[in-house]
Amino acid sequence: MSDPAALFHAQRALAPARRSGFGRAERLAALEALRRMVLDNRPAIVAALEADFGKHPVETLLSEILPVLQEIAHARRHLRRWMRPRRVWPGLTGLGASARIVPQPKGVALIIAPWNYPVTLALGPVVSALAAGCSVILKPSEMVPQTSALLASLIGQCFPPDLVAVVEGGPDVATALLALPFDHIFFTGSPEVGRIVMAAAARNLTSVTLELGGKSPVIVGGDADLAQAARWIAWGRFFNGGQTCVAPDHVFVEAGVAARFSAMIKDETARMWAEPGNLARVVNARHGARLRGLIGDAAAAGAAVSGGQSAGDTALAPTFLEGTTEGMEVSRQEIFGPVLPLIPFSDLDQVLARIGAGPKPLALYVFGGRALADRVVGQTASGSVGVNLTLLTFSHPNLPFGGIGNSGLGAAHGYEGFRAFSHERPVLTNRFLPMAMLFPPYTMGVRRLTDLLLRLVR
Ligand code: NAD
């Protein structure tokens, strides 16, 4: 059965029974099945990603397999606590009633995944959905056909389609799925498609989690440990071929240390990424042409380019741009490839104003001492902040992950992921509520009691 509507209705038919019948034991069993599936198929996953965009096996193990296993382990460890109804203080007007919050599965979830971390960003939300007791239809990205086919085959062997099913295809298939009245949509991808997803969800008043992208800036202060900054930025920018939603997109570096930093990050980049096969390919020829266009446009407008040799449509070496200006295309669109502008600054306020004037980024990184970090955290908005590191805000099990505004809506991972797929349902039970004393007719006694109540809550 791969007809999206038939799959949806099969899952929907079971949703009421799952509310009570898909308890902790069943959810743990589903998570164990997913864990075994990932563990037993590591070589096939590594091979699919190598075929799709030349991702190095170490990068696949670190960023596709480890995060999913970590998400499963965390959910299994905490599921009992997450599922437990929480009693809350009833407050003055609720005295005499017991108040509880009971998490319930939302029902049937749609997960639409991007291509750039095609296993992590597909299976990570599946872990949260299963932990919350939802069934799932997963649509991987058509841009990584080997990984998409592998996910469809593995999930098909591991789960009944009325619990977890994969529907493969591109925008047309996603559009058909989005027309169905899902109980939650979890979308990871670009802000442009995020708008389309949210508009489609609005037609069915379906809740959404949107994990989007954008330009994540880095600020390197004059007091930063430059060697540390160069190492972390060279890693974070070029990991996965620069195709990471939270990758450093451009670096503002304090003018006094800019020349030294430029030399250091180029050395560090050569050391890390020169060996053939370490750097993943650009995903396809269209993106290769887009990136060469950004470099060419910047060069034509006067920017200095270092690196950037390309061998074929999709092999692009790490590239640094110096002397870019705000009007250039590279300063406007998310770069999403192995290209890094270095931008010297002498006035931090101007940098903060420039960041504040643009769409709110998914991540923001700052390298330097406590005072600089506090100032940047206090005066900017972004999905997350990394201080003296890059990328790792994505993978901390106890930190919510998500964007704000243009970079996303809602949060993923761990308990926040569980909450995304749960309805936190208030249950208020009358024991000896005195509220009945305020029911009509509105006698003088009722008026006096109302006045007393108002005085007490003032
Ligand atoms: P994309 O938005 O092009 O595609 C994402 C998914 O949406 C794919 O499954 C695709 O088939 C589907 N899609 C494409 N067009 C559609 C349409 N018109 N209607 C419905 N669905 C459609 O994104 P991408 O190129 O796969 O990924 C790159 C983007 O994703 C970048 O902006 C990146 O920053 C962002 N991203 C964000 C996160 C995050 O966690 N916040 C993670 C990875 C990537």
Side-chain angles (χ1 to χ4, degrees):
M1 181 172 34
S2 62
D3 168 34
L7 278 170
F8 171 80
H9 290 297
Q11 294 198 358
R12 189 28 100 66
L14 287 175
R18 281 217 170 92
R19 240 171 253 141
S20 53
F22 196 42
R24 184 166 158 267
E26 291 78 10
R27 298 183 200 183
L28 287 175
L31 292 174
E32 173 58 15
L34 193 63
R35 188 180 79 90
R36 279 258 64 92
M37 182 192 103
V38 173
L39 266 182
D40 293 349
N41 292 285
R42 278 172 291 177
I45 295 172
V46 163
L49 278 139
E50 220 162 356
D52 276 331
F53 62 104
K55 186 157 173 162
H56 193 282
V58 171
E59 292 199 359
T60 296
L61 292 173
L62 277 178
S63 69
E64 306 281 359
I65 292 179
L66 186 71
V68 178
L69 295 178
Q70 176 175 271
E71 194 74 49
I72 294 172
H74 190 70
R76 285 171 21 141
R77 195 168 317 123
H78 296 286
L79 193 57
R80 184 196 299 274
R81 188 165 50 82
W82 295 349
M83 288 177 69
R84 196 183 294 148
R86 292 199 313 278
R87 207 170 267 289
V88 294
W89 174 241
L92 186 64
T93 50
L95 274 178
S98 93
R100 287 177 305 148
I101 298 170
V102 181
Q104 274 199 330
K106 281 187 177 169
V108 185
L110 172 64
I111 295 172
I112 300 182
W115 62 265
N116 63 328
Y117 287 86
V119 176
T120 296
L121 298 174
L123 298 186
V126 171
V127 174
S128 299
L130 289 173
C134 289
S135 64
V136 178
I137 295 182
L138 165 67
K139 195 206 80 64
S141 170
E142 72 285 8
M143 305 242 284
V144 278
Q146 302 291 329
T147 310
S148 173
L150 180 67
L151 285 174
S153 148
L154 296 180
I155 294 274
Q157 291 162 39
C158 202
F159 292 100
D162 60 33
L163 180 59
V164 186
V166 173
V167 175
E168 290 191 88
D172 49 335
V173 170
T175 305
L177 285 164
L178 286 168
L180 297 164
F182 280 91
D183 299 302
H184 189 70
I185 297 173
F186 190 108
F187 170 79
T188 307
S190 59
E192 296 69 36
V193 179
R195 285 184 180 82
I196 297 172
V197 169
M198 195 161 173
R203 282 195 283 279
N204 292 311
L205 291 178
T206 297
S207 58
V208 288
T209 303
L210 301 176
E211 297 283 343
L212 310 178
K215 293 178 82 61
S216 297
V218 186
I219 298 172
V220 178
D223 64 342
D225 175 339
L226 293 185
Q228 181 192 46
R231 245 189 334 271
W232 278 90
I233 299 168
W235 176 70
R237 169 72 284 186
F238 301 110
F239 193 91
N240 211 41
Q243 303 160 119
T244 303
C245 54
V246 285
D249 181 274
H250 50 285
V251 182
F252 296 106
V253 51
E254 221 266 304
V257 298
R260 210 144 50 90
F261 177 73
S262 165
M264 285 168 97
I265 193 168
K266 287 172 191 166
D267 281 353
E268 198 58 69
T269 300
R271 200 180 63 78
M272 281 187 200
W273 299 107
E275 200 170 305
N278 278 5
L279 186 75
R281 289 193 304 269
V282 177
V283 70
N284 58 30
R286 178 168 63 84
H287 278 289
R290 178 182 64 80
L291 288 162
R292 281 192 296 277
L294 291 181
I295 297 168
D297 169 71
V305 180
S306 29
Q309 302 81 358
S310 56
D313 291 342
T314 56
L316 181 62
T319 309
F320 292 92
L321 299 177
E322 284 161 281
T324 56
T325 57
E326 284 188 63
M328 292 177 185
E329 192 52 32
V330 75
S331 309
R332 286 202 289 251
Q333 61 169 265
E334 180 181 2
I335 296 175
F336 218 60
V339 179
L340 186 63
L342 304 177
I343 308 161
F345 72 89
S346 41
D347 181 355
L348 181 66
D349 285 328
Q350 277 179 7
V351 171
L352 299 180
R354 179 166 162 185
I355 293 171
K360 295 187 181 90
L362 184 58
L364 193 156
Y365 302 108
V366 50
F367 286 84
R370 178 76 186 268
L372 175 70
D374 286 350
R375 195 164 153 210
V376 171
V377 171
Q379 294 184 25
T380 56
S382 66
S384 58
V385 181
V387 180
N388 295 327
L389 56 78
T390 60
L391 304 196
L392 295 191
T393 47
F394 177 83
S395 54
H396 194 291
N398 288 317
L399 288 177
F401 179 78
I404 172 170
N406 197 65
S407 56
L409 180 69
H413 298 178
Y415 182 52
E416 294 304 321
F418 172 86
R419 284 185 66 210
F421 291 95
S422 301
H423 172 52
E424 298 195 305
R425 193 178 190 201
V427 178
L428 190 64
T429 307
N430 186 1
R431 299 215 196 284
F432 44 86
L433 264 175
M435 193 67 195
M437 291 161 72
L438 299 177
F439 290 174
Y442 297 126
T443 59
M444 192 48 81
V446 172
R447 286 162 188 251
R448 284 206 188 101
L449 271 176
T450 306
D451 285 343
L452 177 67
L453 200 56
L454 281 172
R455 276 206 298 280
L456 286 175
V457 295
R458 264 211 287 258

